[in-house]
Amino acid sequence: MDRSTRPGVVRRVWSGIWRGVDRLRRASINLLFLGVIAVIVASWWSSQIEPLPTDAALVIAPSGTLVEQRSVRSPINVLQGGDGIRQVLLRDVVDAIRNAATDPRIKVLILEPDGLAGAGLSKLEEVGAAVADFRKAGKKVYAWGKNYNQSQYHLAAQADQVFLNPDGYVLLTGFGRYPTYFKGLFDQIGVKMQVFRVGTYKSFVEPYTRSDMSPEDRDATREYLDAAWQAYQADITAARPKAGAQITRYVGEAPELLAAADGDAAKMALDAGLVDGLKSADEWRDFVRGLVGPAADGKGFKHVDLATYIGRVREEAPHPAARVGVVVAQGAIVDGEQPPGVVGGDSVAGLIRQAREDDAIKALVLRIDSPGGSATASEVIRRELALTRKAGKPVVVSMGSVAASGGYWIAMAADEVWASPTTITGSIGIFAMLPDLSGPMAKLGLTVDGIGTTPLAAGLDPRRPLDPQIGKLLQSSIEHGYKRFLGVVGEARKMSPEAVDQVAQGRVWMGIQAKEKGLVDKLGGLDAALKAAAARAGLTDYDVSYVEKPLSPRDQLLAKLLDNGEESDGGEPGSRSLVDQTVARLRAELQGLALWNDPGHVYLHCLCEAP
């Protein structure tokens, strides 16, 4: 063969091999995809035909964080060490317990909160109210845990009897808020944060401009945390009077009480009346088996889990033609279209518009669980709600754990505003913040030079020091925005701007305080808000319909494959080291800055955490 033809032959051979490998790869991926689909369909089909047991226990064992809306995480985020915390829909838990109260197939309710990774106090109170209704129906509730942290114990305490593993503990700590302050880091690397704000208590910018908590933020935070701790103790006292009476001493004198129990934390909890008895895992299973009998296969006890039960109940439920629509606004408020778990101005407005144009939906409830964010996106959502009211459909807002700043702004278009007594709300204030990166660039030997047609041409370029003219423009815009905020609230709440200013200044309030100050209409959870919306629409027989953007086929598949982005360890508290938790928190705090996309760089955001 001529030497000149050899490269061409080799190239064709390798090209053929590569095409074969590529086809094999694509075929393998397609087969894997079809296999996953087959498993999903088989799992769904089997769940449809398997009958529920009778006289069984409904087991509520939430694994993850209680949320209003699940977010779909990308596989890359999980592989790179994303938070990976499981998510459990609050409405699934509440609806399951409420339905089980009158379901003859359910004999007892079992609470196993070991896997509960986190929940705002207001969410725990909504679950507690559902458990109370279950008990009022004459059915018993029992709880068991290996250990109980503060959130887990709140759930367990709603039971008739609470049991603890003999080697376990009940850890109650009270509430705290300890932000990370980045000013020292920024000073070292030469970053300056240019801040413009109105509101004495508008503390969102402080972690980037201070090294400690301001006196104003400290006072406001202490007030709402004290109120939250009092509410927590009141909840426990209502469910377990003996335990409630002991909580202050249990927390305040923990070292002495533990020493008196010879270092036995389980005995300490038992002596204080926080639990009724100590049972190992096998003793607990035997106890429940004695209540409901053995499972059909002779192993364990007769029961049905949350996912199976709520799925079956919703299939069996009648579906009246008239509906009350629910749109969930959970997460930071961000401009544009955003995925579930982030309040996209355009995406949430689109859902509200969809509900308005649906003739079957006679009233709308907006469920807010958001600390705020983009001023532009907040107004887009508020405007869409106002148009819904103008179209003749009642609009009721139900506040979850947090509905502050931008989250409060969007609530101002409602006919009625409902809050939980422990909702964090208010934070009527506004700010803008721009980074000046010229310092670290200079340290790297980088300079910026050029020319513009006006002094404002590159006024918002973070590579250059902020032009004083831009600073004046931003401050004027912020002051105007604050006056507008006062006006929006004043018109909605029928208060003068001066009266609103007295409770504004960026200060946050608990729901019960907000009710006293006229910032919300009524206290209650989502169920009460739904009934109020139905009453305004004149409905007595209606269905509740969540208006949500359908997940793409890709996201549906990822949700199944990654189990909603969950970690293989179940996401249980304590499954990650303290170092991992700290790094994850720092990353989350800094990554939050990436969500700042307001076109005018103006934000209605609250640096507040729901207790």
Side-chain angles (χ1 to χ4, degrees):
M1 186 187 328
D2 191 321
R3 290 178 181 271
S4 62
T5 64
R6 289 181 182 175
V9 172
V10 172
R11 189 181 301 113
R12 286 195 297 274
V13 170
W14 278 110
S15 178
I17 293 173
W18 178 253
R19 285 196 299 271
V21 171
D22 186 55
R23 291 193 186 102
L24 181 61
R25 176 185 62 83
R26 283 184 289 178
S28 299
I29 292 174
N30 289 337
L31 287 173
L32 176 61
F33 177 82
L34 292 174
V36 170
I37 295 297
V39 170
I40 293 172
V41 171
S43 175
W44 175 84
W45 179 255
S46 64
S47 68
Q48 306 305 301
I49 60 177
E50 182 180 353
L52 293 179
T54 56
D55 292 328
L58 171 61
V59 177
I60 303 294
S63 183
T65 304
L66 279 182
V67 297
E68 303 289 348
Q69 181 183 63
R70 286 195 182 98
S71 56
V72 178
R73 293 166 173 79
S74 73
I76 299 300
N77 181 44
V78 175
L79 292 173
Q80 290 178 344
D83 58 30
I85 298 298
R86 294 187 178 189
Q87 297 175 332
V88 181
L89 285 176
L90 172 65
R91 64 179 182 260
D92 285 355
V93 176
V94 171
D95 289 353
I97 296 173
R98 290 195 186 282
N99 278 278
T102 56
D103 190 335
R105 295 170 295 190
I106 302 301
K107 184 177 181 181
V108 299
L109 176 63
I110 299 298
L111 303 175
E112 296 181 346
D114 278 324
L116 181 61
L121 182 55
S122 66
K123 294 181 176 65
L124 291 170
E125 289 174 337
E126 292 204 39
V127 177
V131 175
D133 288 343
F134 187 93
R135 294 174 64 182
K136 288 176 185 176
K139 298 182 179 182
K140 293 294 184 180
V141 183
Y142 302 92
W144 179 84
K146 298 174 184 175
N147 305 291
Y148 294 118
N149 64 21
Q150 199 156 273
S151 295
Q152 294 164 354
Y153 183 70
H154 189 288
L155 176 57
Q158 311 307 313
D160 292 280
Q161 288 186 284
V162 180
F163 299 100
L164 175 66
N165 183 50
D167 295 320
Y169 56 80
V170 178
L171 179 61
L172 304 183
T173 60
F175 294 117
R177 173 175 164 255
Y178 295 91
T180 302
Y181 292 84
F182 298 96
K183 183 178 183 298
L185 171 63
F186 290 166
D187 287 346
Q188 289 186 42
I189 62 178
V191 173
K192 297 178 181 178
M193 298 301 290
Q194 310 286 342
V195 172
F196 308 87
R197 70 171 181 175
V198 177
T200 304
Y201 298 93
K202 198 65 179 176
S203 61
F204 185 90
V205 299
E206 291 184 0
Y208 311 102
T209 61
R210 295 179 59 95
S211 299
D212 60 358
M213 185 177 280
S214 69
E216 295 81 7
D217 189 25
R218 190 177 300 275
D219 289 344
T221 300
R222 179 184 292 111
E223 183 170 340
Y224 81 73
L225 288 181
D226 284 346
W229 182 232
Q230 291 171 11
Y232 181 95
Q233 294 180 79
D235 291 344
I236 302 303
T237 300
R240 297 179 62 80
K242 181 181 177 181
Q246 292 292 321
I247 287 180
T248 299
R249 182 167 178 254
Y250 186 84
V251 177
E253 302 177 22
E256 293 81 5
L257 293 176
L258 187 58
D262 294 325
D264 187 338
K267 184 176 183 301
M268 172 184 165
L270 184 63
D271 291 343
L274 270 66
V275 300
D276 296 295
L278 305 179
K279 293 183 183 295
S280 62
D282 57 290
E283 291 172 335
W284 166 246
R285 289 192 295 270
D286 289 342
F287 173 78
V288 182
R289 188 183 294 111
L291 297 173
V292 297
D297 60 4
K299 301 176 182 178
F301 53 87
K302 191 162 47 173
H303 74 282
V304 58
D305 61 65
L306 170 64
T308 301
Y309 182 71
I310 193 61
R312 186 62 52 81
V313 164
R314 286 172 178 162
E315 288 174 3
E316 297 170 347
H319 296 287
R323 291 181 285 159
V324 173
V326 181
V327 172
V328 175
Q330 176 182 280
I333 301 176
V334 180
D335 198 45
E337 292 282 342
Q338 301 295 334
V342 179
V343 185
D346 292 340
S347 47
V348 172
L351 295 176
I352 295 169
R353 186 162 53 252
Q354 178 182 331
R356 181 172 71 246
E357 295 172 351
D358 188 336
D359 292 338
I361 294 180
K362 306 301 183 183
L364 177 66
V365 172
L366 181 68
R367 176 68 166 180
I368 304 174
D369 197 9
S370 170
S374 165
T376 300
S378 298
E379 175 56 17
V380 168
I381 296 170
R382 190 195 71 85
R383 175 66 180 164
E384 207 64 51
L385 287 172
L387 291 174
T388 302
R389 287 180 64 192
K390 188 176 179 180
K393 291 191 178 183
V395 175
V396 174
V397 158
S398 172
M399 295 179 169
S401 297
V402 183
S405 205
Y408 186 73
W409 177 288
I410 63 179
M412 292 300 95
D415 293 289
E416 279 182 41
V417 179
W418 287 72
S420 162
T422 53
T423 294
I424 298 297
T425 187
S427 191
I428 301 168
I430 189 169
F431 73 91
M433 188 165 67
L434 296 170
D436 175 359
L437 306 179
S438 59
M441 288 185 65
K443 292 181 180 181
L444 295 171
L446 301 173
T447 58
V448 178
D449 193 14
I451 189 169
T453 56
T454 73
L456 307 183
L460 296 176
D461 189 338
R463 301 172 302 163
R464 306 169 69 241
L466 187 69
D467 188 292
Q469 288 183 279
I470 295 292
K472 291 179 181 179
L473 289 173
L474 283 172
Q475 187 60 43
S476 296
S477 177
I478 293 301
E479 290 173 2
H480 170 75
Y482 182 66
K483 291 177 182 177
R484 176 131 194 271
F485 205 159
L486 297 181
V488 166
V489 175
E491 181 179 357
R493 307 306 307 162
K494 296 179 171 55
M495 299 166 65
S496 69
E498 294 76 18
V500 177
D501 188 48
Q502 292 296 312
V503 295
Q505 294 291 324
R507 185 156 189 163
V508 300
W509 307 98
M510 296 283 284
I512 193 168
Q513 298 168 324
K515 172 69 166 59
E516 294 169 355
K517 298 179 183 302
L519 296 177
V520 303
D521 294 301
K522 296 180 181 178
L523 298 178
L526 177 59
D527 188 58
L530 288 168
K531 291 177 180 176
R536 281 182 169 272
L539 302 177
T540 55
D541 187 22
Y542 60 93
D543 197 10
V544 175
S545 175
Y546 279 79
V547 184
E548 297 174 311
K549 184 178 180 180
L551 292 179
S552 67
R554 169 188 173 276
D555 286 342
Q556 291 182 49
L557 179 59
L558 287 174
K560 292 292 184 182
L561 287 175
L562 299 175
D563 198 11
N564 197 36
E566 300 161 10
E567 295 176 332
S568 59
D569 61 19
E572 294 186 7
S575 62
R576 296 186 294 172
S577 71
L578 290 175
V579 173
D580 288 341
Q581 294 177 43
T582 302
V583 171
R585 185 181 182 96
L586 287 170
R587 182 172 58 234
E589 289 177 349
L590 287 172
Q591 285 178 340
L593 297 176
L595 295 175
W596 294 12
N597 69 347
D598 184 271
H601 303 282
V602 177
Y603 297 92
L604 310 170
H605 205 299
C606 166
L607 184 65
C608 47
E609 299 176 3

